[in-house]
Amino acid sequence: MVAALMLNIRRQAGIRIILLYWFSFMGLSAINPFFSLYLKKVLVFTDGQPVNLMIGLLLFSKSFLSLFSSPVAGYVADRFKIENRVLLFCALFAIAGGFFIGIPSFGLIGNIGIQSKILFLGIGILLIGLFSEPVYPLINTETLEYLHARRRPATLFGRYRISGTLSWVVNTALVGMFLWLLNDMAAIMIYFCIGFGFLAVVAFSGVKAKISKVKVPWDHLKRNKPFKRLLIFCALHSFGHFGTFNFTAYFFDDHHLSFLIIGLAFAVSAIPELPVMFYSKAIIQKLGSFRMVIIGAGLMVVKNLLLAFITPLGLAGLVLAVNLLHGLGFGLWLLGVINLIDSWSHKNMRAIYMNLFNVIGINIPIAVGVLASAFVIQFLDSTLMILINMCISGSAILYFIVRLRSAAKKAK
């Protein structure tokens, strides 16, 4: 029965891509918004105070490690056209990483000292940092390959990516609910492992027996100035915005929001992303990638600035309302960036371009951003951390307008 199901999934390539997004975001919805909260509750001194600088270092390591794995994953996927083999391999090792990170909270070992906790967390983050980060650009690449192979416009990307958004809405709310009901941090890593377990099954269903080899045109990348400038913009924006995002649950907990409200805040934040993804083709045709990127990044800046001032008031309903700006902003920003990358990439380098975007444009800036944010929180507070990061995101928008206006407007 399982074999028959996998054969059917393999034949239904579009459905399989939807499932890849759903289960990858199931894992993402547990670890990305809640990981700083997990570390805050697990990694504490004997007096109960969180080890903020170590938390920052661990979060830094998680994103920084993608520098070593994502380019390799992208090259192998493009060189041999084996995205699903790489996905399967990455998912299995990410599950192992989730297990090690969860050990301090699973209760499998008695009284664990802080040094042992750091050891288990370090091993887990090494595995997750190396093997979970290439997953999302590989799925994005497979989606674009699927669309191009069937002569469909890349502007329909959002119709498939919407599955990931819907998964985020459902699963962040569920994780928050489980934490609220159980008051057990182990739920975060168990949820992550289950999501990536299903991802491995779906990835395995798409593995092809025959491996084909193609030539990678490196000169195309060397000459591509617009793409390199786009990476600089994304790096600045990611430093500010996603550096803050990784500490949002931490920030909410500082202001005594319940786990349920924290989970709902992340769930609600993605709801406006659903229509953006569904109507991606019409929105791109109406606004164009240039305006989508500017509007999207601007909305994310405004959302975080509002949170910095509204959250301390303790009005949960207002916090949830402000978070709605995130989905609208992130959806527009992501679709605009993906469309630009697709326009400027070579057909035999899509996985490489996507992974470079993931590493240079997102993960490395996040790594530096969370480390800097941890220092600001340690010596100042989490509210000032948000305000400083938003100034950096604002500078990214100015760079995009000055350096990419002409090239972005010409992109298809």
Side-chain angles (χ1 to χ4, degrees), residues 79-128:
R79 187 78 168 90
F80 302 102
K81 298 299 178 185
I82 52 170
E83 288 92 348
N84 283 286
R85 289 176 187 266
V86 180
L87 271 176
L88 173 61
F89 184 79
C90 288
L92 292 174
F93 275 92
I95 293 168
F99 176 78
F100 275 103
I101 290 174
I103 286 177
S105 61
F106 288 160
L108 300 175
I109 303 175
N111 248 341
I112 299 182
I114 192 167
Q115 290 181 333
S116 298
K117 287 181 181 180
I118 292 172
L119 175 62
F120 287 125
L121 290 168
I123 294 171
I125 284 175
L126 176 66
L127 292 170
I128 282 185

Side-chain angles (χ1 to χ4, degrees), residues 5 54 59 79 84 111-112 135 156 158 168 188 190 215 254 288 310 387:
L5 177 63
M54 179 56 67
L59 289 171
R79 187 78 168 90
N84 283 286
N111 248 341
I112 299 182
V135 164
L156 288 173
W168 175 276
I188 294 172
I190 291 172
K215 185 178 179 181
D254 274 352
I310 288 172
L387 295 175

Side-chain angles (χ1 to χ4, degrees), residues 34-49:
F34 295 100
F35 194 42
S36 63
L37 178 64
Y38 177 86
L39 294 175
K40 182 183 181 183
K41 299 297 184 182
V42 168
L43 202 56
V44 295
F45 292 114
T46 52
D47 62 358
Q49 290 299 309

